Amino acid sequence: MNIENAQKIVDDWIKEHGVRYFNELTNMAQLTEEVGEVARIIARRYGEQSEKESDKDKDLGEELADVVFVVLCLANQTGIDLQAAFDKKMDKKTKRDHDRHHNNQKLK
Protein backbone atom coordinates (compact mmCIF):
# COMPACT_ATOMS: atom_id res chain seq x y z
CA MET A 1 0.00 0.00 0.00
CA ASN A 2 1.31 3.45 -0.80
CA ILE A 3 0.64 6.64 1.14
CA GLU A 4 -1.97 7.86 -1.33
CA ASN A 5 -3.97 4.67 -0.81
CA ALA A 6 -3.56 4.92 2.95
CA GLN A 7 -4.94 8.48 2.89
CA LYS A 8 -7.99 7.27 0.97
CA ILE A 9 -8.54 4.33 3.33
CA VAL A 10 -8.43 6.66 6.33
CA ASP A 11 -10.76 9.16 4.65
CA ASP A 12 -13.24 6.41 3.78
CA TRP A 13 -13.07 5.08 7.35
CA ILE A 14 -13.69 8.53 8.82
CA LYS A 15 -16.72 9.02 6.56
CA GLU A 16 -18.16 5.60 7.36
CA HIS A 17 -17.29 5.17 11.05
CA GLY A 18 -16.04 8.44 12.43
CA VAL A 19 -18.80 10.86 11.35
CA ARG A 20 -16.20 13.60 10.67
CA TYR A 21 -12.58 14.50 11.33
CA PHE A 22 -11.74 16.00 14.70
CA ASN A 23 -10.50 19.54 14.17
CA GLU A 24 -6.82 20.08 13.45
CA LEU A 25 -5.93 21.19 16.97
CA THR A 26 -7.63 18.14 18.48
CA ASN A 27 -5.80 15.88 16.04
CA MET A 28 -2.51 17.61 16.88
CA ALA A 29 -3.14 16.88 20.57
CA GLN A 30 -4.07 13.30 19.64
CA LEU A 31 -0.82 12.96 17.66
CA THR A 32 1.18 14.22 20.63
CA GLU A 33 -0.52 11.68 22.87
CA GLU A 34 0.18 8.82 20.46
CA VAL A 35 3.84 9.83 20.03
CA GLY A 36 4.09 9.89 23.83
CA GLU A 37 2.85 6.30 23.97
CA VAL A 38 5.53 5.29 21.44
CA ALA A 39 8.16 7.15 23.47
CA ARG A 40 7.10 5.38 26.66
CA ILE A 41 7.50 1.94 25.07
CA ILE A 42 10.86 2.84 23.50
CA ALA A 43 12.21 4.38 26.72
CA ARG A 44 11.28 1.37 28.79
CA ARG A 45 11.92 -1.44 26.34
CA TYR A 46 15.08 -0.14 24.67
CA GLY A 47 16.24 2.63 27.01
CA GLU A 48 17.51 2.61 30.54
CA GLN A 49 14.15 2.79 32.31
CA SER A 50 12.72 -0.45 33.61
CA GLU A 51 9.56 -1.63 31.95
CA LYS A 52 6.53 -1.74 34.20
CA GLU A 53 4.61 -5.00 34.27
CA SER A 54 1.55 -3.15 32.93
CA ASP A 55 3.56 -1.96 29.88
CA LYS A 56 4.97 -5.34 28.83
CA ASP A 57 1.97 -6.20 26.68
CA LYS A 58 1.98 -2.86 24.84
CA ASP A 59 2.39 -3.37 21.09
CA LEU A 60 4.91 -0.94 19.59
CA GLY A 61 3.63 -1.65 16.08
CA GLU A 62 0.08 -0.79 17.09
CA GLU A 63 1.21 2.45 18.70
CA LEU A 64 3.25 3.41 15.62
CA ALA A 65 0.17 2.66 13.49
CA ASP A 66 -1.82 5.04 15.72
CA VAL A 67 0.74 7.76 14.93
CA VAL A 68 0.49 7.06 11.19
CA PHE A 69 -3.33 7.14 11.35
CA VAL A 70 -3.41 10.57 12.96
CA VAL A 71 -0.75 11.92 10.56
CA LEU A 72 -2.89 10.70 7.66
CA CYS A 73 -5.92 12.41 9.20
CA LEU A 74 -4.02 15.68 9.49
CA ALA A 75 -2.81 15.41 5.89
CA ASN A 76 -6.32 14.71 4.64
CA GLN A 77 -7.98 17.54 6.48
CA THR A 78 -5.33 20.09 5.49
CA GLY A 79 -5.29 19.07 1.82
CA ILE A 80 -1.77 17.64 1.80
CA ASP A 81 -0.86 14.98 -0.76
CA LEU A 82 1.40 13.11 1.63
CA GLN A 83 2.71 10.78 -1.08
CA ALA A 84 3.97 13.75 -3.12
CA ALA A 85 5.36 15.45 0.00
CA PHE A 86 7.15 12.26 1.07
CA ASP A 87 8.59 11.65 -2.40
CA LYS A 88 9.86 15.24 -2.49
CA LYS A 89 11.39 14.89 0.99
CA MET A 90 13.16 11.63 0.09
CA ASP A 91 14.60 13.19 -3.06
CA LYS A 92 15.86 16.17 -1.06
CA LYS A 93 17.36 13.99 1.68
CA THR A 94 19.01 11.70 -0.86
CA LYS A 95 20.69 14.58 -2.65
CA ARG A 96 21.64 16.42 0.54
CA ASP A 97 22.65 13.60 2.88
CA HIS A 98 24.22 10.81 0.82
CA ASP A 99 27.83 11.97 0.99
CA ARG A 100 27.41 13.57 4.40
CA HIS A 101 26.38 10.28 6.04
CA HIS A 102 28.93 8.19 4.16
CA ASN A 103 31.67 10.59 5.29
CA ASN A 104 30.52 10.77 8.92
CA GLN A 105 33.17 9.03 11.00
CA LYS A 106 30.70 8.66 13.87
CA LEU A 107 28.66 6.25 11.74
CA LYS A 108 31.55 3.94 10.85
Side-chain angles (χ1 to χ4, degrees):
M1 169 185 340
N2 65 27
I3 298 171
E4 182 180 0
N5 290 342
Q7 280 189 256
K8 178 159 180 14
I9 289 168
V10 167
D11 193 56
D12 290 346
W13 187 92
I14 292 291
K15 289 173 181 170
E16 185 175 341
H17 302 285
V19 181
R20 65 170 177 80
Y21 287 94
F22 294 132
N23 69 42
E24 295 84 354
L25 289 175
T26 299
N27 273 339
M28 188 62 230
Q30 190 74 30
L31 179 60
T32 302
E33 181 182 327
E34 298 299 349
V35 169
E37 291 177 19
V38 169
R40 180 183 179 100
I41 292 170
I42 296 289
R44 287 179 165 78
R45 200 163 292 164
Y46 303 101
E48 295 177 346
Q49 289 185 314
S50 59
E51 192 168 25
K52 294 180 180 179
E53 198 60 40
S54 61
D55 289 339
K56 290 186 177 179
D57 289 334
K58 302 271 181 176
D59 183 340
L60 179 58
E62 186 176 328
E63 298 304 333
L64 288 167
D66 286 342
V67 170
V68 170
F69 182 87
V70 180
V71 167
L72 292 169
C73 286
L74 284 165
N76 284 348
Q77 67 193 130
T78 57
I80 303 296
D81 177 344
L82 204 51
Q83 184 69 62
F86 183 78
D87 292 344
K88 183 178 176 182
K89 176 56 69 177
M90 290 307 298
D91 185 54
K92 179 180 177 180
K93 287 181 73 59
T94 299
K95 290 174 182 169
R96 180 190 69 199
D97 297 339
H98 176 77
D99 291 335
R100 183 172 68 119
H101 292 314
H102 282 282
N103 295 329
N104 184 346
Q105 292 304 310
K106 295 177 185 177
L107 299 177
K108 300 206 183 232

